[in-house]
Amino acid sequence: MGLPRFGRPKGFEGDSSPNLYVANCGPAVGLSYDSIASVFSAFGELKGVFAADDSGARVIVSYRDESSATAALEAFDGHPCPDLGGRSLHIRYSVIQPTSQDFVSIKEEEELLAAVDARPWKSLSKRRVQHYGYEFCYETRNVNTRRKLGELPSFVSLILERISSFPNLDDSANIVLDQLTVNEYPTGVGLSPHVDTHSAFEGFIFSLSLAGPCIMEFRQYAECAWLPNHTSSPSMKMQSPEDDKSFLRRAIYLPPRSMLLLSGEARYAWHHYIPHHKIDLVKDSVIRRGSRRVSFTFRKVRTGPCQCEFPQYCDSQR
């Protein structure tokens, strides 16, 4: 999943948009994305500042609402900006183009969010959750298979149907996902590094991101260098310092409406982690996290011991 794609700029007299195409602005003319974000944020909350193309001299400034974009356009279009090196900016409205990479449409995203917001949330120390099928116990990082909450709700039927048609998954047609955790992350709240307990869930984990973007980092630790604490609480602090050199690190960008699949080595042997940031840097673009990010994580509860190929990370085999 890539960064947002923006359409051809619209003229000033055209329909307004929360997204601005800004020319004569960017790293190629000596303006960092941070400095651009700082100046434009004076007009309202930003979603992010993105490269408009490969020139380095044109950017997209994306606001939360149209009125902020209009105010910035009226203030800066055609006028020298003292806080951006005195450069005269050329600004037009732009729009995000729908992408076929989205797993759900914008309308479907709105309906899914409305469905969970109509149901009760359970508050943890920094985020809110809902559980369906089986409740996940954060103290043991496992589920009680003898206590089923019921079937998954009907509003996720479209997601389950699309998952069943995933290409290149040998067992995808036979997957019967029976556990769903919905997480709501406020701005700046992340997730401590962990591997989903092997004995709790089968090998495929699907996670749909809605409402806001984030960076998810994956870490593979040297054997036995760091093992998860299975009695930890959901508010536990990271047990590994940022300057720890005992792990490999990879990061991916999860935009809204994207689906993440964890399987094989990524599911069993790499810790996944969401940094506790309000701003992420993606390919030299500043991505501001939204006021909330909601994830729908689907799993299949395991009924026997795990027999995966990664015993050093496996609670069933240690």
Side-chain angles (χ1 to χ4, degrees), residues 181-288:
T181 295
V182 182
N183 279 283
E184 181 193 56
Y185 300 89
T187 303
V189 173
L191 191 64
S192 296
H194 69 283
V195 175
D196 282 29
T197 307
H198 289 205
S199 63
F201 303 112
E202 296 281 357
F204 290 127
I205 297 174
F206 299 85
S207 188
L208 176 66
S209 293
L210 300 176
C214 78
I215 291 291
M216 180 171 283
E217 183 176 298
F218 290 83
R219 297 177 173 186
Q220 187 178 55
Y221 290 83
E223 186 171 350
C224 298
W226 184 79
L227 293 175
N229 180 354
H230 291 285
T231 61
S232 61
S233 71
S235 61
M236 75 177 198
K237 296 206 176 356
M238 291 173 49
Q239 300 181 39
S240 176
E242 286 300 318
D243 59 357
D244 188 347
K245 304 301 183 184
S246 65
F247 59 83
L248 299 175
R249 187 195 309 250
R250 300 289 185 269
I252 61 173
Y253 172 60
L254 301 179
R257 300 178 296 282
S258 64
M259 176 65 83
L260 171 72
L261 166 62
L262 295 181
S263 64
E265 184 178 347
R267 181 265 184 269
Y268 287 122
W270 288 69
H271 292 66
H272 56 279
Y273 159 55
I274 300 176
H276 300 265
H277 296 164
K278 292 185 177 180
I279 296 175
D280 294 308
L281 188 63
V282 184
K283 294 183 179 179
D284 297 324
S285 293
V286 175
I287 308 295
R288 291 181 181 270

Side-chain angles (χ1 to χ4, degrees), residues 4-318:
R5 296 181 179 180
F6 291 84
R8 183 184 300 275
K10 297 183 178 182
F12 179 79
E13 295 78 16
D15 294 336
S16 62
S17 162
N19 310 303
L20 299 178
Y21 177 96
V22 185
N24 199 26
C25 186
V29 294
L31 301 176
S32 70
Y33 290 103
D34 283 337
S35 63
I36 297 167
S38 176
V39 170
F40 277 86
S41 65
F43 296 91
E45 184 180 359
L46 292 177
K47 288 184 179 179
V49 177
F50 311 93
D53 51 36
D54 295 331
S55 69
R58 290 178 284 272
V59 300
I60 299 293
V61 177
S62 183
Y63 284 97
R64 292 282 166 199
D65 58 76
E66 294 181 5
S67 61
S68 299
T70 298
L73 185 150
E74 292 175 348
F76 289 153
D77 182 39
H79 305 300
C81 180
D83 294 326
L84 293 176
R87 306 194 71 83
S88 292
L89 307 180
H90 306 286
I91 306 177
R92 294 293 182 268
Y93 291 117
S94 187
V95 293
I96 297 181
Q97 294 178 330
T99 168
S100 60
Q101 293 180 321
D102 286 349
F103 191 78
V104 296
S105 69
I106 293 175
K107 183 175 184 296
E108 290 167 340
E109 176 186 42
E110 293 172 348
E111 292 172 347
L112 288 166
L113 292 171
V116 293
D117 284 336
R119 298 187 174 214
W121 292 90
K122 178 180 180 180
S123 294
L124 304 182
S125 61
K126 294 184 179 179
R127 66 183 194 272
R128 300 193 300 174
V129 300
Q130 295 179 19
H131 298 290
Y132 298 94
Y134 296 88
E135 182 171 5
F136 183 77
C137 179
Y138 293 97
E139 287 71 25
T140 62
R141 300 200 64 81
N142 214 316
V143 295
N144 183 351
T145 57
R146 292 173 293 183
R147 186 183 175 191
K148 188 170 183 179
L149 302 178
E151 302 300 322
L152 298 190
S154 59
F155 61 78
V156 299
S157 297
L158 68 95
I159 304 175
L160 297 174
E161 182 179 351
R162 290 174 192 172
I163 287 175
S164 69
S165 62
F166 257 46
N168 304 320
L169 291 181
D170 294 340
D171 298 326
S172 61
N174 298 319
I175 296 175
V176 180
L177 300 170
D178 55 10
Q179 196 276 334
L180 165 63
T181 295
V182 182
N183 279 283
E184 181 193 56
Y185 300 89
T187 303
V189 173
L191 191 64
S192 296
H194 69 283
V195 175
D196 282 29
T197 307
H198 289 205
S199 63
F201 303 112
E202 296 281 357
F204 290 127
I205 297 174
F206 299 85
S207 188
L208 176 66
S209 293
L210 300 176
C214 78
I215 291 291
M216 180 171 283
E217 183 176 298
F218 290 83
R219 297 177 173 186
Q220 187 178 55
Y221 290 83
E223 186 171 350
C224 298
W226 184 79
L227 293 175
N229 180 354
H230 291 285
T231 61
S232 61
S233 71
S235 61
M236 75 177 198
K237 296 206 176 356
M238 291 173 49
Q239 300 181 39
S240 176
E242 286 300 318
D243 59 357
D244 188 347
K245 304 301 183 184
S246 65
F247 59 83
L248 299 175
R249 187 195 309 250
R250 300 289 185 269
I252 61 173
Y253 172 60
L254 301 179
R257 300 178 296 282
S258 64
M259 176 65 83
L260 171 72
L261 166 62
L262 295 181
S263 64
E265 184 178 347
R267 181 265 184 269
Y268 287 122
W270 288 69
H271 292 66
H272 56 279
Y273 159 55
I274 300 176
H276 300 265
H277 296 164
K278 292 185 177 180
I279 296 175
D280 294 308
L281 188 63
V282 184
K283 294 183 179 179
D284 297 324
S285 293
V286 175
I287 308 295
R288 291 181 181 270
R289 297 190 187 174
S291 58
R292 71 191 300 215
R293 173 180 172 268
V294 177
S295 66
F296 284 53
T297 301
F298 297 85
R299 308 174 179 96
K300 169 66 175 173
V301 171
R302 192 184 293 277
T303 57
C306 177
Q307 298 179 350
C308 69
E309 299 177 359
F310 305 93
Q312 67 271 38
Y313 301 103
C314 183
D315 61 307
S316 290
Q317 301 181 61
R318 280 204 308 271

